[in-house]
Amino acid sequence: GFCPVRVPSPERFAIHKLIVSQLRVSRDAKVEKDLFQASTLIAILQDTFPGALGEAVAAIPLSASTKLLNGLKRAQDTFLGAYPEVVEEISQAIKARKDRD
């Protein structure tokens, strides 16, 4: 037998994890886990599906942009140092999103 399950697209899940990491209060271990999971997915997506992260950012609510930028900064400082192009892609997508709305 089987059971149908909804699985988020990996690029949207990675963006979600960056945002959620900034919503957690005084749960450092969970924040680090969120950032690690997001960074792992982001690195794989950048190598496999360039541009997918920018598309995922375009789908987030504008009100989540600040949290996303803060999460991205922390992930960059901790895990994404070898992927500056990802940080640039996400930052540009956020800027385009703000300019559009």
Coordinates of all heavy atoms in Angstrom, one line a residue:
G1 N 0.8 -1.2 0.0 CA 0.0 0.0 0.0 C 0.9 1.2 0.0 O 2.1 1.2 0.1
F2 N 0.2 2.4 -0.2 CA 0.9 3.6 -0.2 C 0.0 4.7 0.4 O -1.2 4.5 0.6 CB 1.4 4.0 -1.6 CG 0.3 4.4 -2.5 CD1 -0.1 5.7 -2.6 CD2 -0.4 3.4 -3.2 CE1 -1.1 6.0 -3.5 CE2 -1.4 3.7 -4.1 CZ -1.8 5.0 -4.2
C3 N 0.6 5.8 0.8 CA -0.1 6.9 1.3 C 0.4 8.2 0.6 O 1.6 8.5 0.6 CB 0.2 7.0 2.8 SG -0.5 8.4 3.6
P4 N -0.5 8.9 0.0 CA -0.1 10.1 -0.7 C 0.4 11.2 0.3 O -0.2 11.3 1.4 CB -1.3 10.6 -1.4 CG -2.4 9.9 -0.8 CD -1.9 8.7 -0.2
V5 N 1.5 11.8 0.0 CA 2.1 12.8 0.9 C 2.4 14.1 0.0 O 2.9 13.9 -1.1 CB 3.4 12.3 1.5 CG1 3.7 13.2 2.7 CG2 3.3 10.9 2.0
R6 N 2.3 15.2 0.6 CA 2.7 16.5 -0.1 C 4.1 16.8 0.3 O 4.4 16.9 1.5 CB 1.8 17.6 0.2 CG 0.5 17.6 -0.4 CD -0.3 18.8 -0.2 NE 0.3 19.8 -1.0 CZ -0.2 21.0 -1.3 NH1 -1.3 21.3 -0.7 NH2 0.4 21.9 -2.0
V7 N 5.0 16.9 -0.6 CA 6.4 17.2 -0.3 C 6.7 18.5 -1.0 O 6.4 18.7 -2.2 CB 7.3 16.1 -0.9 CG1 8.8 16.4 -0.6 CG2 6.9 14.7 -0.3
P8 N 7.3 19.5 -0.2 CA 7.5 20.8 -0.8 C 8.7 20.7 -1.8 O 9.5 19.8 -1.7 CB 8.0 21.6 0.4 CG 8.5 20.6 1.4 CD 7.7 19.4 1.2
S9 N 8.7 21.6 -2.7 CA 9.8 21.7 -3.6 C 11.1 22.0 -2.8 O 11.0 22.8 -1.9 CB 9.6 22.7 -4.7 OG 9.5 24.0 -4.2
P10 N 12.2 21.5 -3.1 CA 13.4 21.7 -2.3 C 13.8 23.2 -2.2 O 14.2 23.6 -1.2 CB 14.5 20.9 -3.0 CG 13.9 20.2 -4.2 CD 12.4 20.6 -4.2
E11 N 13.6 23.9 -3.3 CA 14.0 25.3 -3.3 C 13.1 26.2 -2.4 O 13.6 27.0 -1.6 CB 14.1 25.9 -4.7 CG 12.8 25.9 -5.5 CD 12.6 24.6 -6.3 OE1 13.3 23.6 -6.1 OE2 11.7 24.6 -7.1
R12 N 11.8 25.9 -2.4 CA 10.9 26.6 -1.4 C 11.2 26.1 0.0 O 11.1 27.0 0.9 CB 9.5 26.3 -1.8 CG 9.1 27.1 -3.1 CD 7.6 27.0 -3.3 NE 7.3 27.7 -4.5 CZ 6.1 28.3 -4.8 NH1 5.2 28.2 -3.9 NH2 5.9 28.9 -5.9
F13 N 11.5 24.9 0.2 CA 11.8 24.4 1.5 C 13.1 25.1 2.1 O 13.1 25.5 3.3 CB 12.0 22.9 1.5 CG 12.1 22.3 2.9 CD1 11.1 22.4 3.8 CD2 13.3 21.7 3.3 CE1 11.2 21.8 5.1 CE2 13.4 21.1 4.6 CZ 12.4 21.2 5.5
A14 N 14.1 25.2 1.3 CA 15.3 25.9 1.7 C 15.1 27.3 2.1 O 15.5 27.8 3.1 CB 16.4 25.8 0.6
I15 N 14.3 28.0 1.3 CA 13.9 29.4 1.6 C 13.1 29.5 2.9 O 13.3 30.3 3.8 CB 13.2 30.1 0.4 CG1 14.0 30.1 -0.8 CG2 12.6 31.5 0.8 CD1 15.3 30.9 -0.7
H16 N 12.2 28.6 3.0 CA 11.4 28.5 4.2 C 12.3 28.3 5.5 O 12.1 28.9 6.5 CB 10.4 27.3 4.1 CG 9.8 26.8 5.4 ND1 8.7 27.5 6.0 CD2 10.1 25.8 6.2 CE1 8.4 26.9 7.1 NE2 9.2 25.9 7.3
K17 N 13.3 27.4 5.4 CA 14.1 27.1 6.5 C 14.9 28.4 6.9 O 15.2 28.6 8.1 CB 15.1 26.0 6.2 CG 14.5 24.6 6.3 CD 14.0 24.4 7.7 CE 13.9 23.0 8.0 NZ 13.6 22.8 9.5
L18 N 15.4 29.2 5.9 CA 16.1 30.4 6.2 C 15.2 31.4 7.0 O 15.6 32.0 7.9 CB 16.6 31.1 4.9 CG 17.8 30.4 4.2 CD1 18.1 31.1 2.9 CD2 19.0 30.4 5.1
I19 N 13.9 31.5 6.5 CA 13.0 32.4 7.2 C 12.7 31.9 8.6 O 12.7 32.7 9.6 CB 11.7 32.6 6.4 CG1 12.0 33.2 5.0 CG2 10.6 33.3 7.1 CD1 10.9 33.2 4.0
V20 N 12.4 30.6 8.7 CA 12.0 30.1 10.0 C 13.1 30.2 11.0 O 12.9 30.4 12.2 CB 11.5 28.6 9.9 CG1 11.4 27.9 11.2 CG2 10.2 28.6 9.1
S21 N 14.3 30.1 10.5 CA 15.5 30.2 11.5 C 15.5 31.5 12.2 O 16.0 31.6 13.3 CB 16.8 30.0 10.7 OG 17.1 31.1 9.9
Q22 N 14.9 32.5 11.6 CA 14.9 33.9 12.2 C 13.7 34.1 13.0 O 13.6 35.1 13.7 CB 15.0 34.9 11.1 CG 16.3 34.8 10.3 CD 17.5 34.8 11.2 OE1 17.9 35.7 11.9 NE2 18.2 33.6 11.2
L23 N 12.7 33.2 13.0 CA 11.5 33.3 13.8 C 11.7 32.7 15.2 O 10.9 32.9 16.1 CB 10.3 32.8 13.1 CG 10.0 33.5 11.8 CD1 8.8 32.7 11.0 CD2 9.5 34.9 12.0
R24 N 12.6 31.8 15.3 CA 12.8 31.0 16.5 C 13.5 31.9 17.6 O 14.5 32.6 17.3 CB 13.6 29.8 16.3 CG 13.0 28.8 15.3 CD 13.7 27.5 15.3 NE 13.3 26.7 14.2 CZ 12.3 25.9 14.2 NH1 11.5 25.8 15.3 NH2 12.0 25.1 13.2
V25 N 13.0 31.9 18.8 CA 13.5 32.7 19.8 C 14.2 31.8 20.9 O 13.6 30.9 21.3 CB 12.4 33.6 20.5 CG1 13.0 34.4 21.6 CG2 11.7 34.4 19.5
S26 N 15.5 32.1 21.1 CA 16.3 31.4 22.1 C 16.2 29.9 22.0 O 16.0 29.2 23.0 CB 15.9 31.8 23.6 OG 14.6 31.5 23.9
R27 N 16.4 29.4 20.8 CA 16.5 28.0 20.5 C 17.7 27.8 19.6 O 17.5 27.4 18.4 CB 15.2 27.4 19.9 CG 14.1 27.5 20.9 CD 12.8 27.1 20.3 NE 12.7 25.8 19.9 CZ 11.7 25.2 19.2 NH1 10.6 26.0 19.0 NH2 11.7 24.0 18.8
D28 N 18.9 28.1 20.1 CA 20.1 28.1 19.2 C 20.3 26.8 18.5 O 20.7 26.9 17.3 CB 21.3 28.5 20.1 CG 21.2 29.9 20.5 OD1 20.6 30.8 19.9 OD2 21.8 30.2 21.6
A29 N 20.1 25.7 19.1 CA 20.4 24.4 18.4 C 19.5 24.2 17.2 O 19.9 23.8 16.2 CB 20.2 23.3 19.4
K30 N 18.2 24.6 17.4 CA 17.2 24.5 16.3 C 17.5 25.5 15.2 O 17.4 25.1 14.0 CB 15.8 24.7 16.9 CG 14.7 24.3 16.0 CD 14.6 22.8 15.8 CE 13.3 22.5 15.1 NZ 13.4 21.3 14.4
V31 N 18.0 26.7 15.5 CA 18.3 27.7 14.5 C 19.5 27.2 13.7 O 19.5 27.3 12.5 CB 18.6 29.0 15.2 CG1 19.3 30.0 14.2 CG2 17.4 29.6 15.8
E32 N 20.5 26.7 14.4 CA 21.7 26.1 13.6 C 21.3 25.0 12.7 O 21.8 24.8 11.6 CB 22.8 25.7 14.6 CG 23.4 26.9 15.3 CD 24.0 27.9 14.3 OE1 24.8 27.5 13.4 OE2 23.8 29.1 14.5
K33 N 20.4 24.1 13.2 CA 19.9 23.0 12.4 C 19.2 23.5 11.2 O 19.4 23.0 10.0 CB 19.0 22.1 13.2 CG 18.5 20.9 12.5 CD 17.6 20.0 13.4 CE 17.0 18.9 12.6 NZ 16.1 18.1 13.4
D34 N 18.3 24.5 11.3 CA 17.6 25.1 10.2 C 18.5 25.7 9.2 O 18.4 25.5 8.0 CB 16.6 26.2 10.7 CG 15.4 25.7 11.4 OD1 15.0 24.6 11.2 OD2 14.8 26.5 12.2
L35 N 19.5 26.4 9.7 CA 20.5 27.0 8.8 C 21.3 26.0 8.0 O 21.6 26.1 6.8 CB 21.4 28.0 9.5 CG 20.7 29.3 10.1 CD1 21.7 30.0 11.0 CD2 20.2 30.1 8.9
F36 N 21.7 24.9 8.7 CA 22.5 23.9 8.1 C 21.6 23.2 7.0 O 22.1 22.9 5.9 CB 22.9 22.9 9.2 CG 23.7 21.7 8.6 CD1 25.0 21.8 8.1 CD2 23.1 20.5 8.5 CE1 25.6 20.8 7.5 CE2 23.7 19.4 7.9 CZ 25.0 19.5 7.4
Q37 N 20.4 22.9 7.3 CA 19.5 22.2 6.4 C 19.3 23.1 5.1 O 19.4 22.6 4.0 CB 18.2 21.8 7.0 CG 18.3 20.7 8.0 CD 16.9 20.5 8.7 OE1 16.1 21.4 8.8 NE2 16.8 19.3 9.3
A38 N 19.0 24.3 5.4 CA 18.8 25.3 4.3 C 20.1 25.4 3.4 O 20.0 25.3 2.2 CB 18.4 26.7 4.8
S39 N 21.2 25.5 4.1 CA 22.5 25.7 3.3 C 22.8 24.4 2.5 O 23.3 24.6 1.4 CB 23.6 26.0 4.3 OG 23.4 27.2 5.0
T40 N 22.6 23.3 3.1 CA 22.8 22.0 2.3 C 22.0 22.0 1.1 O 22.5 21.7 0.0 CB 22.6 20.8 3.2 OG1 23.4 20.9 4.4 CG2 22.9 19.5 2.5
L41 N 20.7 22.2 1.2 CA 19.8 22.3 0.1 C 20.2 23.3 -1.0 O 20.2 23.1 -2.2 CB 18.4 22.5 0.5 CG 17.6 21.3 1.0 CD1 16.3 21.7 1.6 CD2 17.4 20.3 -0.1
I42 N 20.6 24.5 -0.5 CA 20.9 25.6 -1.3 C 22.2 25.2 -2.2 O 22.2 25.5 -3.4 CB 21.2 26.9 -0.5 CG1 19.8 27.4 -0.1 CG2 21.9 27.9 -1.3 CD1 19.9 28.5 1.0
A43 N 23.2 24.6 -1.5 CA 24.4 24.3 -2.2 C 24.1 23.2 -3.3 O 24.6 23.4 -4.5 CB 25.4 23.7 -1.3
I44 N 23.3 22.3 -3.0 CA 22.9 21.2 -4.0 C 22.1 21.8 -5.1 O 22.3 21.6 -6.3 CB 22.1 20.1 -3.3 CG1 23.1 19.3 -2.4 CG2 21.5 19.2 -4.4 CD1 22.4 18.4 -1.4
L45 N 21.1 22.7 -4.8 CA 20.3 23.3 -5.8 C 21.1 24.2 -6.7 O 20.8 24.2 -7.9 CB 19.2 24.1 -5.2 CG 18.1 23.2 -4.5 CD1 17.2 24.1 -3.6 CD2 17.2 22.6 -5.6
Q46 N 22.0 24.9 -6.2 CA 22.9 25.8 -7.0 C 23.6 25.0 -8.0 O 23.8 25.5 -9.2 CB 23.8 26.7 -6.1 CG 24.6 27.6 -6.9 CD 23.8 28.7 -7.6 OE1 22.7 29.0 -7.3 NE2 24.4 29.2 -8.7
D47 N 24.1 23.9 -7.6 CA 24.9 23.1 -8.6 C 24.0 22.3 -9.6 O 24.4 22.1 -10.7 CB 25.7 22.0 -7.8 CG 26.9 22.7 -7.0 OD1 27.2 23.8 -7.3 OD2 27.3 22.0 -6.0
T48 N 22.8 22.0 -9.1 CA 21.9 21.1 -10.0 C 20.9 21.9 -10.8 O 20.7 21.6 -12.0 CB 21.2 20.1 -9.1 OG1 22.1 19.5 -8.2 CG2 20.5 19.1 -9.9
F49 N 20.3 22.9 -10.1 CA 19.2 23.7 -10.8 C 19.5 25.2 -10.6 O 18.8 25.8 -9.8 CB 17.9 23.3 -10.2 CG 17.5 21.9 -10.3 CD1 17.5 21.0 -9.2 CD2 17.1 21.4 -11.6 CE1 17.2 19.7 -9.4 CE2 16.8 20.1 -11.7 CZ 16.8 19.2 -10.6
P50 N 20.4 25.8 -11.3 CA 20.7 27.2 -11.1 C 19.4 28.0 -11.5 O 18.7 27.7 -12.4 CB 21.8 27.5 -12.1 CG 22.3 26.2 -12.6 CD 21.3 25.2 -12.2
G51 N 19.1 29.0 -10.7 CA 18.0 29.9 -10.9 C 16.7 29.5 -10.2 O 15.8 30.3 -10.0
A52 N 16.7 28.2 -9.6 CA 15.5 27.8 -8.9 C 15.3 28.5 -7.6 O 14.1 28.8 -7.3 CB 15.6 26.3 -8.6
L53 N 16.3 29.0 -7.0 CA 16.2 29.7 -5.7 C 15.6 31.1 -6.0 O 14.7 31.5 -5.2 CB 17.5 29.8 -5.0 CG 18.1 28.5 -4.5 CD1 19.5 28.6 -4.2 CD2 17.3 28.1 -3.3
G54 N 16.0 31.7 -7.0 CA 15.4 33.0 -7.4 C 13.9 32.9 -7.6 O 13.1 33.8 -7.2
E55 N 13.5 31.8 -8.3 CA 12.1 31.6 -8.5 C 11.3 31.4 -7.2 O 10.2 31.8 -7.0 CB 11.9 30.5 -9.5 CG 12.4 30.7 -10.9 CD 12.3 29.5 -11.8 OE1 11.6 28.5 -11.4 OE2 12.9 29.5 -12.8
A56 N 11.9 30.7 -6.3 CA 11.3 30.4 -5.0 C 11.1 31.7 -4.2 O 10.1 31.9 -3.5 CB 12.1 29.4 -4.2
V57 N 12.1 32.6 -4.3 CA 12.1 33.8 -3.6 C 10.9 34.7 -4.1 O 10.2 35.4 -3.3 CB 13.4 34.6 -3.6 CG1 13.3 36.0 -3.1 CG2 14.5 33.9 -2.9
A58 N 10.7 34.6 -5.4 CA 9.6 35.4 -6.0 C 8.2 35.0 -5.4 O 7.3 35.8 -5.5 CB 9.6 35.2 -7.5
A59 N 8.1 33.8 -4.9 CA 6.8 33.4 -4.4 C 6.6 33.7 -2.9 O 5.5 33.5 -2.4 CB 6.7 31.8 -4.6
I60 N 7.6 34.2 -2.2 CA 7.4 34.5 -0.8 C 6.6 35.8 -0.6 O 6.7 36.7 -1.4 CB 8.7 34.5 0.0 CG1 9.6 35.7 -0.4 CG2 9.5 33.2 -0.1 CD1 10.7 36.1 0.6
P61 N 6.0 35.9 0.6 CA 5.3 37.2 0.9 C 6.4 38.3 1.1 O 7.5 38.0 1.6 CB 4.6 36.9 2.2 CG 4.5 35.5 2.4 CD 5.7 34.9 1.6
L62 N 6.1 39.5 0.6 CA 7.1 40.5 0.8 C 7.5 40.8 2.2 O 8.6 41.1 2.5 CB 6.5 41.8 0.1 CG 7.4 43.0 -0.1 CD1 8.6 42.5 -0.9 CD2 6.7 44.1 -0.8
S63 N 6.5 40.6 3.1 CA 6.8 40.8 4.6 C 7.8 39.8 5.1 O 8.4 40.1 6.2 CB 5.5 40.6 5.3 OG 5.0 39.3 5.2
A64 N 8.1 38.7 4.4 CA 9.2 37.8 4.9 C 10.6 38.1 4.4 O 11.5 37.5 4.8 CB 8.8 36.4 4.4
S65 N 10.7 39.1 3.6 CA 12.0 39.5 3.0 C 13.1 39.8 4.0 O 14.2 39.3 3.8 CB 11.8 40.7 2.0 OG 11.0 40.4 1.0
T66 N 12.8 40.5 5.0 CA 13.8 40.9 6.0 C 14.3 39.7 6.7 O 15.5 39.5 7.0 CB 13.2 41.9 7.0 OG1 12.8 43.1 6.3 CG2 14.2 42.3 8.0
K67 N 13.3 38.8 7.1 CA 13.7 37.5 7.8 C 14.6 36.7 6.9 O 15.6 36.1 7.3 CB 12.5 36.7 8.2 CG 11.6 37.5 9.2 CD 12.3 37.6 10.6 CE 11.3 38.2 11.6 NZ 11.9 38.7 12.7
L68 N 14.2 36.6 5.6 CA 15.0 35.9 4.7 C 16.4 36.4 4.5 O 17.4 35.7 4.5 CB 14.3 35.8 3.3 CG 15.1 35.1 2.2 CD1 15.4 33.7 2.5 CD2 14.2 35.2 0.9
L69 N 16.5 37.7 4.4 CA 17.9 38.3 4.3 C 18.7 38.1 5.6 O 19.9 37.8 5.5 CB 17.8 39.8 4.1 CG 17.5 40.3 2.7 CD1 17.2 41.8 2.6 CD2 18.6 39.9 1.7
N70 N 18.1 38.2 6.7 CA 18.8 37.9 8.0 C 19.3 36.4 8.1 O 20.4 36.1 8.5 CB 17.9 38.2 9.2 CG 17.7 39.7 9.3 OD1 18.4 40.5 8.8 ND2 16.7 40.1 10.1
G71 N 18.4 35.5 7.7 CA 18.7 34.1 7.7 C 19.8 33.8 6.7 O 20.8 33.1 6.9
L72 N 19.7 34.5 5.5 CA 20.8 34.3 4.5 C 22.1 34.8 5.0 O 23.1 34.1 4.7 CB 20.3 35.0 3.2 CG 21.3 35.0 2.0 CD1 21.4 33.5 1.5 CD2 20.8 35.8 0.9
K73 N 22.1 35.9 5.6 CA 23.4 36.5 6.2 C 24.0 35.5 7.2 O 25.2 35.2 7.1 CB 23.1 37.8 6.8 CG 24.3 38.4 7.6 CD 25.3 39.0 6.6 CE 26.3 39.8 7.4 NZ 27.6 39.1 7.4
R74 N 23.2 35.0 8.1 CA 23.7 34.0 9.1 C 24.2 32.7 8.4 O 25.3 32.2 8.8 CB 22.7 33.7 10.1 CG 22.5 34.8 11.1 CD 21.9 34.5 12.4 NE 22.6 33.4 13.1 CZ 22.0 32.8 14.1 NH1 20.8 33.1 14.5 NH2 22.7 31.8 14.8
A75 N 23.5 32.2 7.4 CA 23.9 31.0 6.7 C 25.2 31.3 5.9 O 26.1 30.5 5.8 CB 22.8 30.6 5.7
Q76 N 25.3 32.5 5.3 CA 26.5 32.9 4.6 C 27.7 32.9 5.5 O 28.8 32.4 5.2 CB 26.4 34.2 4.0 CG 27.6 34.7 3.2 CD 27.4 36.1 2.6 OE1 26.5 36.9 3.0 NE2 28.3 36.5 1.7
D77 N 27.6 33.5 6.7 CA 28.7 33.5 7.7 C 29.1 32.2 8.2 O 30.2 31.9 8.5 CB 28.3 34.4 8.9 CG 28.1 35.9 8.5 OD1 28.5 36.3 7.4 OD2 27.5 36.6 9.3
T78 N 28.1 31.2 8.3 CA 28.4 29.9 8.9 C 28.6 28.8 7.9 O 29.6 28.1 8.0 CB 27.2 29.5 9.7 OG1 26.8 30.6 10.6 CG2 27.5 28.3 10.6
F79 N 27.8 28.7 6.8 CA 27.8 27.6 6.0 C 28.1 27.9 4.5 O 28.5 27.0 3.7 CB 26.5 26.8 6.1 CG 26.2 26.3 7.5 CD1 25.2 26.8 8.2 CD2 27.0 25.3 8.1 CE1 24.9 26.4 9.5 CE2 26.7 24.8 9.3 CZ 25.7 25.4 10.0
L80 N 27.6 29.0 4.0 CA 27.6 29.3 2.6 C 28.8 30.1 2.0 O 28.7 30.7 1.0 CB 26.3 30.0 2.2 CG 25.1 29.1 2.3 CD1 23.8 29.9 2.0 CD2 25.2 27.9 1.3
G81 N 29.9 30.2 2.8 CA 31.0 31.0 2.4 C 31.6 30.6 1.0 O 32.1 31.4 0.2
A82 N 31.5 29.3 0.6 CA 32.0 28.9 -0.7 C 31.0 29.1 -1.8 O 31.3 28.7 -2.9 CB 32.3 27.4 -0.6
Y83 N 29.8 29.7 -1.5 CA 28.8 29.9 -2.5 C 28.3 31.3 -2.6 O 27.1 31.6 -2.4 CB 27.6 29.0 -2.2 CG 27.9 27.5 -2.4 CD1 28.4 26.7 -1.4 CD2 27.7 26.9 -3.7 CE1 28.6 25.4 -1.6 CE2 27.9 25.6 -3.9 CZ 28.4 24.8 -2.8 OH 28.7 23.5 -3.1
P84 N 29.2 32.2 -2.9 CA 28.8 33.7 -2.9 C 27.8 33.9 -4.0 O 27.0 34.8 -3.9 CB 30.1 34.4 -3.2 CG 31.0 33.4 -3.8 CD 30.6 32.1 -3.2
E85 N 27.8 33.1 -5.1 CA 26.8 33.3 -6.2 C 25.4 33.0 -5.7 O 24.5 33.7 -6.2 CB 27.2 32.5 -7.4 CG 27.1 31.0 -7.2 CD 28.3 30.3 -6.5 OE1 29.2 31.0 -6.2 OE2 28.2 29.1 -6.4
V86 N 25.2 32.2 -4.8 CA 23.9 31.9 -4.2 C 23.4 33.1 -3.5 O 22.2 33.5 -3.6 CB 23.9 30.6 -3.3 CG1 22.6 30.4 -2.6 CG2 24.3 29.4 -4.1
V87 N 24.3 33.6 -2.6 CA 23.9 34.7 -1.8 C 23.5 35.9 -2.7 O 22.5 36.6 -2.5 CB 25.0 35.1 -0.9 CG1 24.7 36.4 -0.1 CG2 25.3 34.0 0.1
E88 N 24.2 36.1 -3.8 CA 23.9 37.1 -4.8 C 22.6 36.9 -5.5 O 21.8 37.8 -5.6 CB 25.1 37.3 -5.8 CG 24.9 38.4 -6.8 CD 24.8 39.8 -6.2 OE1 25.4 40.0 -5.1 OE2 24.2 40.6 -6.8
E89 N 22.4 35.6 -5.9 CA 21.1 35.3 -6.6 C 19.9 35.6 -5.7 O 18.9 36.2 -6.1 CB 21.1 33.8 -7.0 CG 19.8 33.4 -7.7 CD 19.8 31.9 -8.0 OE1 20.8 31.2 -7.9 OE2 18.7 31.5 -8.4
I90 N 20.0 35.1 -4.5 CA 18.8 35.3 -3.5 C 18.6 36.8 -3.2 O 17.5 37.3 -3.2 CB 19.0 34.5 -2.3 CG1 19.0 33.0 -2.6 CG2 18.0 34.8 -1.2 CD1 19.3 32.1 -1.5
S91 N 19.8 37.5 -3.0 CA 19.7 39.0 -2.7 C 19.0 39.7 -3.9 O 18.2 40.6 -3.7 CB 21.1 39.5 -2.4 OG 21.6 38.9 -1.3
Q92 N 19.5 39.4 -5.1 CA 18.9 40.0 -6.3 C 17.4 39.7 -6.4 O 16.6 40.6 -6.8 CB 19.7 39.6 -7.5 CG 21.1 40.2 -7.6 CD 21.0 41.7 -7.6 OE1 20.2 42.4 -8.2 NE2 22.0 42.3 -6.9
A93 N 17.0 38.5 -6.1 CA 15.6 38.1 -6.2 C 14.8 38.8 -5.2 O 13.6 39.2 -5.5 CB 15.5 36.6 -6.1
I94 N 15.3 39.0 -4.0 CA 14.6 39.8 -3.0 C 14.4 41.3 -3.5 O 13.4 41.9 -3.4 CB 15.3 39.7 -1.6 CG1 15.2 38.3 -1.1 CG2 14.7 40.7 -0.7 CD1 16.1 38.1 0.1
K95 N 15.5 41.8 -4.0 CA 15.5 43.2 -4.5 C 14.4 43.3 -5.6 O 13.6 44.3 -5.6 CB 16.8 43.7 -5.0 CG 16.9 45.1 -5.4 CD 18.3 45.4 -5.9 CE 18.4 46.9 -6.4 NZ 17.3 47.5 -7.1
A96 N 14.4 42.4 -6.6 CA 13.5 42.4 -7.7 C 12.1 42.3 -7.1 O 11.1 43.0 -7.6 CB 13.8 41.3 -8.7
R97 N 11.9 41.5 -6.1 CA 10.5 41.3 -5.5 C 10.1 42.6 -4.9 O 8.9 43.0 -5.0 CB 10.6 40.2 -4.5 CG 9.4 40.0 -3.7 CD 8.5 39.0 -4.4 NE 7.4 38.5 -3.5 CZ 6.2 39.1 -3.5 NH1 5.9 40.0 -4.3 NH2 5.3 38.6 -2.7
K98 N 11.0 43.3 -4.2 CA 10.6 44.6 -3.5 C 10.3 45.6 -4.6 O 9.4 46.4 -4.4 CB 11.7 45.0 -2.6 CG 11.8 44.2 -1.3 CD 12.9 44.8 -0.4 CE 13.0 44.0 0.9 NZ 14.0 44.5 1.7
D99 N 11.1 45.7 -5.6 CA 10.9 46.6 -6.7 C 9.6 46.4 -7.4 O 8.9 47.4 -7.9 CB 12.0 46.6 -7.7 CG 13.3 47.1 -7.1 OD1 13.3 47.8 -6.0 OD2 14.4 46.9 -7.7
R100 N 9.2 45.2 -7.6 CA 8.0 44.8 -8.3 C 6.7 45.2 -7.5 O 5.7 45.6 -8.1 CB 8.0 43.3 -8.6 CG 6.8 42.9 -9.5 CD 6.8 41.4 -9.7 NE 6.4 40.7 -8.5 CZ 6.7 39.5 -8.1 NH1 7.6 38.8 -8.8 NH2 6.3 39.0 -7.0
D101 N 6.8 45.1 -6.2 CA 5.6 45.4 -5.4 C 5.7 46.8 -4.8 O 5.9 47.6 -4.5 CB 5.4 44.4 -4.3 CG 5.0 43.0 -4.8 OD1 4.5 43.0 -5.9 OD2 5.3 42.0 -4.1

